[in-house]
């Protein structure tokens, strides 16, 4: 029943993310009921679906914020296990942007961006700051470098969070409803930042309800329901001719 | 009536000042030690191992439940009875008071820090973990600074409470403020002047702590004011 997976991968090219038979239980609640997902390098995937369908849980499994119960997750060919060192190493290669930003309020914007560079990449302070400034320029917020997160607007905070993740030079970026906590007038600036990131060829998996973004950027849209991938395909196909009635009614709700 | 001159000479005299120094030193030593120990015990209080949580809970129950006076007497009189090593001259009233009050203070500070750790949102930990930070980094750079900010008022409360509890060490003949004044009263029978002088000392020390508290809060609240 699952639509043919569209993939831009060249033969022999290793997938950025390879998920096989992923299952997860919260106690007796079966959140993920067997997810197979392959994301090739440079691919932009948008994940959508009703709340409680397991979208967030799925991408949180990819960097080990949630422990999966069954199945295999490969990030750039490295298997995600329970070993703390390996989880930390994978996380350093996978950037994540959260709904509520999760910036460190006691550190300046610049310190937020340089913390992991200093601790994990062991960069000198000046080098780390130069790198952080470059990414703050990229998200067009360099003038706020010495402010604290709570002194910024929501949209600005989310752009800082994106810059903070980019500083580590991730191979993949995960977005967990990055605009859901924002005031409407701030959604645009964050989406623009994400679009420019996509144009640079970043591999992205975005859980979002922003259908305009999905239409513009996504190579593939995944529709999840009840802990499973119900349907997936290129944006136009998913919007115009979804196979499942469930998918159709969801997109109708989202776009009207 | 009230001999103001005697009061002034008590306040500015050497004996009370010496007693105050002992009070302050004891207080500082106990608070620093128990803060360091509690950083760990507060983490262990939420350990995934059930027996560890029970162990910490039992400790907190024991030393919050026992009156400070009783703990002081247990340590000062009880320990030497149990172990001959404590019958040596190095086991001073100061050391006994330090041990007894630290045992108690750890129980209280553990509770304060446990709740402060819990008050730092899960999102903060996840934000740090997602960057690849190791557990130790997440704790020292992200959770701890925010937890200390939350805990500062409660920690100063515990410190002030401790400052006054040290007066109980007079029963094990530590020459802190109360002991000094009692000795002076025993020879002069001037109660009011000496009590008032001691009161001035305690209030001054608490005033200084209050000022320190507001300074510390200012430092930690950097980033929280708009």
């Amino acid at each position: 029943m699952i639509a043919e997976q569209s993939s831009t991968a060249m033969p022999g090219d290793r997938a950025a993310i390879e998920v096989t038979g992923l299952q997860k239980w919260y106690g007796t609640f079966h959140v993920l009921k067997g997810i197979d997902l392959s994301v090739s390098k440079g691919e932009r995937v948008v994940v959508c679906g009703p709340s409680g369908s397991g979208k967030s849980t799925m991408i949180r499994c990819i960097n080990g914020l949630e422990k999966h119960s069954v199945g295999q997750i490969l990030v750039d060919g490295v298997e995600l296990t329970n070993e703390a060192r390996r989880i930390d190493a994978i996380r350093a290669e996978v950037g994540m942007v959260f709904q509520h930003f999760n910036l460190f309020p006691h550190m300046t914007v610049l310190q937020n961006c340089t913390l992991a560079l200093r601790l994990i990449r062991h960069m000198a302070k000046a080098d780390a700051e130069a790198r952080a400034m470059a990414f703050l320029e990229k998200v067009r917020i360099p003038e706020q470098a010495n402010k604290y997160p709570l002194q910024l607007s929501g949209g600005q905070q989310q752009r800082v969070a994106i810059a903070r993740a980019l500083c580590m030079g991730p191979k993949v970026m995960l977005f967990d409803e990055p605009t859901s906590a924002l005031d409407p007038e701030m959604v645009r600036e964050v989406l623009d930042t994400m679009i420019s990131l996509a144009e640079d060829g970043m591999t992205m998996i975005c859980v979002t309800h922003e259908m305009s973004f999905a239409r513009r950027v996504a190579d593939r849209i995944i529709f999840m329901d009840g802990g499973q991938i119900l349907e997936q395909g290129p944006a136009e196909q998913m919007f115009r001719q979804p196979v499942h009635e469930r998918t159709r009614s969801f997109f109708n709700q989202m776009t009207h | 009536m009230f001999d103001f001159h005697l009061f002034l000479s008590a306040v500015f005299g050497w004996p009370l000042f010496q007693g105050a120094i002992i009070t302050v030193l004891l207080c500082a030593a106990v608070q620093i030690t128990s803060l360091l120990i509690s950083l760990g015990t507060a983490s262990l209080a939420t350990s995934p191992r059930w027996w560890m949580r029970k162990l910490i809970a039992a400790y907190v129950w024991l030393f919050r439940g026992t009156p400070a006076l009783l703990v002081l007497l247990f340590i000062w009189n009880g320990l030497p009875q149990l172990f001959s090593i404590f019958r040596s001259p190095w086991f001073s009233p100061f050391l006994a008071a330090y041990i007894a009050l630290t045992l108690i203070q750890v129980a209280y500070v553990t509770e304060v820090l446990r709740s402060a750790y819990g008050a730092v949102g899960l999102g903060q930990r996840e934000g740090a973990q997602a960057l690849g930070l190791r557990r130790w980094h997440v704790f020292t750079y992200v959770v701890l600074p925010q937890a200390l900010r939350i805990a500062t008022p409660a920690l100063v409360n515990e410190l002030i409470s401790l400052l006054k509890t040290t007066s109980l060490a007079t029963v094990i003949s530590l020459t802190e403020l109360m002991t000094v004044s009692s000795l002076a009263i025993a020879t002069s029978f001037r109660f009011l002047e000496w009590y008032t002088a001691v009161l001035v000392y305690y209030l001054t020390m608490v005033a200084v702590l209050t000022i320190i508290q507001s300074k510390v809060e200012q430092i930690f609240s950097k980033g929280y004011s708009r």
Side-chain angles (χ1 to χ4, degrees), chain A residues 16-17 59-65 73-76 78 80 86-98 121 164-166 168-175 202-205, chain B residues 126-133:
Chain A
I17 305 277
I59 71 164
R60 285 163 58 84
C61 281
I62 292 173
N63 68 351
L65 284 183
I73 298 172
L74 299 179
V75 177
D76 201 32
V78 181
L80 188 66
R86 187 179 293 203
I87 295 176
D88 290 342
I90 286 176
R91 282 173 178 161
E93 305 299 328
V94 178
M96 184 155 199
V97 175
F98 299 86
R121 303 277 192 243
R164 181 175 77 173
L166 289 176
M168 293 296 282
K171 297 184 172 121
V172 183
M173 284 286 283
L174 308 174
F175 292 84
M202 175 63 77
T203 310
M204 296 163 74
I205 304 180
Chain B
E126 290 187 342
Q129 285 167 354
L131 289 167
L133 297 190

Side-chain angles (χ1 to χ4, degrees), chain B residues 157-208:
Chain B
N157 250 359
E158 295 303 335
L159 178 55
I160 288 173
S161 182
L162 169 68
L163 182 76
K164 293 177 293 179
T165 307
T166 55
S167 64
L168 293 176
T170 187
V171 299
I172 62 168
S173 64
L174 178 70
T175 50
E176 46 69 63
L177 278 171
M178 286 313 294
T179 310
V180 171
S181 68
S182 300
L183 289 175
I185 289 166
T187 52
S188 67
F189 297 102
R190 305 298 305 194
F191 293 95
L192 216 46
E193 291 79 358
W194 282 98
Y195 288 158
T196 315
V198 170
L199 176 67
V200 167
Y201 267 96
Y202 277 115
L203 288 180
T204 308
M205 290 190 284
V206 171
V208 171

Side-chain angles (χ1 to χ4, degrees), chain A residues 60 63 65 85 88 91-92 94 96 98 102-107 115-116 119-120 148 150-151 164-165 168, chain B residues 122-135 137 141-143 145-146 220 222-226:
Chain A
R60 285 163 58 84
N63 68 351
L65 284 183
R85 283 265 154 181
D88 290 342
R91 282 173 178 161
V94 178
M96 184 155 199
F98 299 86
N102 297 0
L103 294 173
F104 311 131
H106 60 299
M107 296 182 191
L115 181 68
L119 294 176
I120 307 297
Y148 287 89
L150 296 182
Q151 295 167 331
R164 181 175 77 173
M168 293 296 282
Chain B
L122 184 62
Q124 289 294 308
R125 274 166 250 252
E126 290 187 342
Q129 285 167 354
L131 289 167
L133 297 190
R134 313 225 188 290
R135 263 175 66 173
H137 290 149
Y141 291 91
V142 176
V143 176
Q146 298 187 62
F220 278 132
K222 218 166 37 169
Y224 292 85
S225 54
R226 276 165 196 270

Side-chain angles (χ1 to χ4, degrees), chain A residues 31 48 72 78 84 94 114 148 151 155 191 208 216:
Chain A
V31 211
C48 48
Q72 192 186 41
V78 181
V94 178
T114 54
Y148 287 89
Q151 295 167 331
L191 290 181
T208 181
R216 169 138 183 216

